[in-house]
Amino acid sequence: MNEMEDMHEGMHGDSVDHESNYTPPVQEEPKLATWKNAPTLSDLKADLDAARSHHAAHVADVSDWIDQFNCEGKHAPIKRKGYSSVQPKIIRKQIEWRAAGLIEPLLSDLNLFKVRPRTYADIQAAFENGLVLNYQFQNQLDKVNFLDTYVRTAITEGTAIVKVAWKYEERKEKSKGRILKVVPATSVKDIQMLQQAIEMEQASPEHFAKLDPMLKASVDASIERGEPVIVEDGGEQDVEIVKVIHNKPDLTVCDYRNVIIDPTCGNEFEKANFLVHSFEASKSDLERAGIYTNIDKIVIEENTESASHHVKGDTSFRFQDEPRKKFTVYEYWGYWDIDDSGITVPIVAAWVGDTMIRLEHNPYPDHAIPFVVVPYLPVKDSVYGEPDAVLLEDHQKLIGALTRGMVDSMARSANAQRGIRKDMLDPIQRRKFENGDDYEFNPTTDPRQGLIEHQFPELPASTFNMLMMLNNDVDALSGIKSFTDGMSGSSLGNTASGITGVLTAQSKREISILNRISSGLVKIARKVLAMNGEFLADEEVIRITDEDMVNINRENLKGMFDVTMSINTADTDNMKAQELAFMLQTMGQTLPFDITKIILADIAELRKMPDLAKSLRTYAPEPDPVQQMQQQMAMQKLQLENQKLAMEIQEIQATIGKIAGQTMNFQGNAAAHNAKVQNIQANTAKIVQEIQDQASGTQHQRMLEQARAATEAATKRDILGKALDHKLAMDQMSNVQKLQELQSQRLTQGQ
C-alpha cells in the first residue's frame, strides 16, 4: 500500500535570504543543566566581583585616553573670562591619519582571507571554505562598518574586543509544497539505481549533491526505512515551510566597560578561565533567541535601576510595555568542574538580577570563549593594549598651552583700532576726518605722531620653533608624517635617501600595527570557519562573481586548514605596479601576448580595478581571417610535405627490404657451398690417410691386430662357456642328491 508523506522540496537561492530546506536540530524547551557539581549563581557572581577591581583600573585608563582623544574632562582647558580655551586635538589628528592607513589595506581586496589546506584531502574543502568565508565578510557582515569600528576602537581605546557568535532566525510561512509519494522499489533497474546512488553518496558526496532531487529523496527514504523505495511526485498542496531569515556569523565590537576578563590570564587571552559580558535585552529578545529559560521569573524593575554595574548608553528613553523593557543580562563564558572530577569543561551561563536563565555546555564547535581580544600597542603581562594617547598626552598639553598663549597675545591686542591725540583736531575737523574729507589739524601736533594704528603684536620666532619642535616630536612618537609642515617638498627631508628612510620607517611602524590587527581577524576567521561546518545549511549557494554560482555542501567544509590574510598597503601596491609597468615597458616588445596579458591584469589588480583585471585575463583576440587562411594553407602545405616524405620513407624501406632479402639468399648459398667444400676436404683427407697407411704397412698391421683381438675374444668366450656348463651339471647333481635324501627321510618318518 502506498504511503503518502508531505515533504517540502527546498529551493536554494542566494544565501542571504532564501527559502531553505535546512532544518535546525529539534530543540526541547530550554532547561538549566543539572550537573553533579553545577555552579551556583553566587559562584559565578563571585568570579565577577573578584575581577571588578582589575577591570575598574582598566576602565579608568581607557576613559582617560578617550578624554584625551576628545579633549574633555580633566584634559579640557580651564575656561577663564577674557582668555582663550582652545585645545588643538593632536591625538585625534594622529589617529585619523593612522586609521585611514590601517583600514584601507583591509578593504582593498575583495577576498580578504586565504584558506590553505594542511593535507592533500582538504584541498577542495579549503577552496570552498575560502569562498564561504570571503562571501560572508563581503556580503553578510557589512565589512566596511565592522572593520572601521574594529580598527578605530583598537586605535582609540588601545584594545578591541570582538564577540564572535552565530545568528539564526527563521519564520514559518504557508506555501505551495510538493507531495512526495513513497512506493516500494520492485524493478531490478530501480534497485540498481538506488545502490549506485548510495555508493556515490558515501564515496563522492559532492557528485551525489548534483543528482536529481527525487533520486536523492529516494536514497534518504530508503536509508530511513531500511528497504529500497522510490519517491515519486504526487502533486502540490499548501504546506507550512520554514523560511530562514538569518543564518550567518555575527561579529560585535564590544564596549570595553561591559567585558570583564579573568585577570590571571596575563597577556594570553586563551588562558583566561572566564569572561563576563553584560548586554541589554528585553523579554521579547530572550524569547526570540530560544535558548533561555525562566524568562517569566525575571523582575524587570530590579534590573533597570542605576545600581547595575552594566554601563548603559542613552537612558533618556525607556520602553513602557513589558515585552520591550530593557534590562541587563550577564553572560558568563568559562570553564567549570561540572562532574567533580577535577577537570574543567567549557560552559556558558546567563542571569538577570537573581534569576539564572541559561546554564549549559559551550555550544560552539571550538569549545573556546567566543571572544577575540586584540591589543593595539602590547603591554607586558596584560591582555589589554595601549593607544597612541599614552605617547602623545604631554605633547598635546604643551601644544595646547603654546597655542592658547599665541591666541591670547593676539586676541587681547587692540588690532584695527586707531588712537588720536585730543589736541590734534577740533570737533569740526574731527567730523571731517571721520567722514573721509579733507581736514585741518593743529599746527602744534604732527599727525604722524598724533594718530596711532594698532596692529597684532609680532610673535617671537622662538614660539614657532617650539611649536615646530613639538609637532616633529609628535610625528616621531606616532610614526605618522602628517601635514604639520605643509605640503612643501622638504617636509619629508632634503634628499631622496632621507625621504626614503622616513617613508620606510613609517611603513614598518604601520605594518607592525597592521600585523596585530590582522592577527585578530585571522582568529575571528578561524572561529567562523568552525561555526560554518556546524551551523550552515546543508547546502549553500555562493556567488563568486556576477555570473557564476557555486554550490557549497556543509559536510565538505570540515577539515584542517590554515587561514592567512592578503594585506597590502597603498605604498607596496604602488611599488609593485610601477615595477611591473617598468618590466612591461622594457620587455613588452619581446614577450608573448599571453605573458603581457598576465602582467597587465596584475597591474590592474594592484590599481584596484578588478573588473579590468578580469576582462584582461579572459580576453582572447579575434583571429584575422586572412591570417587564419594563411595558417590553414601553411598547415595543408605541411601536411602534403609530410605525406610526400612518408611515401619516400616507405619506398626507401621497401628497397632496403629487397636488398636485405637478396643478401640473405646470397648468404644461404655461400653457406651451402662452404658445407660442400668442407665435405670434399674431409673425404680428401680420409683418402690421403688410407694411402699413407697402405704405403707404410700401418693398415695391414691394424688388420692383423683386429684379427688377433677377435680370436682371443672367441677363445675366452669358449672357455667361459665350458666352465658354465660344468658348473650347471655339478649343481644339478647336487640338487638330485639332496632330493633323494629328503625322500628317504620322509619314508623313515612314515614308518
Side-chain angles (χ1 to χ4, degrees), residues 80-262:
R80 296 184 298 167
K81 184 177 181 180
Y83 291 87
S84 172
S85 61
V86 64
Q87 173 61 56
K89 295 183 178 181
I90 303 300
I91 295 176
R92 181 162 188 174
K93 178 182 69 174
Q94 298 293 317
I95 286 177
E96 291 297 329
W97 278 90
R98 174 78 77 198
L102 295 179
I103 295 174
E104 192 273 338
L106 300 176
L107 297 175
S108 61
D109 196 345
L110 295 179
N111 295 323
L112 184 61
F113 299 99
K114 287 181 172 58
V115 182
R116 294 184 172 89
R118 293 186 184 177
T119 64
Y120 181 80
D122 297 327
I123 293 178
Q124 181 63 25
F127 170 73
E128 294 184 356
N129 271 288
L131 289 179
V132 174
L133 189 61
N134 287 300
Y135 177 82
Q136 289 171 331
F137 270 80
Q138 188 68 28
N139 298 281
Q140 294 183 340
L141 294 177
D142 192 2
K143 183 173 72 171
V144 175
N145 180 53
F146 167 72
L147 290 178
D148 191 72
T149 305
Y150 169 70
V151 173
R152 287 182 176 274
T153 300
I155 297 174
T156 306
E157 301 175 4
T159 309
I161 304 175
V162 182
K163 182 179 181 180
V164 186
W166 190 266
K167 184 176 183 180
Y168 181 83
E169 185 177 349
E170 64 181 23
R171 68 169 178 261
K172 296 181 179 180
E173 295 181 351
K174 293 288 185 179
S175 179
K176 291 290 184 181
R178 308 300 302 180
I179 301 175
L180 301 182
K181 182 171 59 177
V182 180
V183 298
T186 56
S187 66
V188 177
K189 180 180 178 181
D190 291 341
I191 295 176
Q192 291 178 349
M193 181 177 61
L194 286 173
Q195 290 177 348
Q196 293 175 358
I198 292 173
E199 293 174 358
M200 182 182 294
E201 182 183 20
Q202 297 173 352
S204 181
E206 62 275 9
H207 291 91
F208 176 80
K210 299 178 182 179
L211 294 178
D212 182 69
M214 288 296 183
L215 180 56
K216 292 192 291 183
S218 300
V219 171
D220 295 337
S222 299
I223 295 175
E224 181 181 356
R225 296 170 180 271
E227 60 179 358
V229 295
I230 298 296
V231 176
E232 298 178 349
D233 189 356
E236 292 185 351
Q237 74 172 12
D238 291 334
V239 296
E240 188 178 66
I241 65 170
V242 175
K243 184 174 182 180
V244 177
I245 307 303
H246 297 292
N247 187 35
K248 62 179 182 179
D250 185 30
L251 306 181
T252 305
V253 181
C254 302
D255 191 317
Y256 68 95
R257 298 168 295 182
N258 298 325
V259 179
I260 301 178
I261 303 174
D262 175 14

Side-chain angles (χ1 to χ4, degrees), residues 686-703:
K686 183 178 180 182
I687 294 170
V688 170
Q689 185 66 34
E690 290 177 353
I691 293 172
Q692 290 177 354
D693 290 345
Q694 289 178 0
S696 61
T698 302
Q699 184 175 7
H700 179 71
Q701 185 68 29
R702 189 182 295 116
M703 294 176 64

Side-chain angles (χ1 to χ4, degrees), residues 51 54 260-266 269 271-276 383-384:
H54 182 271
I260 301 178
I261 303 174
D262 175 14
T264 64
C265 66
F269 174 70
K271 293 183 178 180
N273 287 304
F274 71 90
L275 178 147
V276 180
V383 72
Y384 302 110

Side-chain angles (χ1 to χ4, degrees), residues 21-55:
N21 64 349
Y22 169 63
T23 302
V26 177
Q27 297 182 352
E28 299 179 354
E29 185 70 22
K31 298 179 181 179
L32 296 177
T34 56
W35 299 318
K36 180 179 179 181
N37 187 32
T40 63
L41 184 56
S42 59
D43 294 332
L44 302 179
K45 286 186 175 182
D47 285 348
L48 176 61
D49 293 336
R52 285 196 187 280
S53 59
H54 182 271
H55 176 68

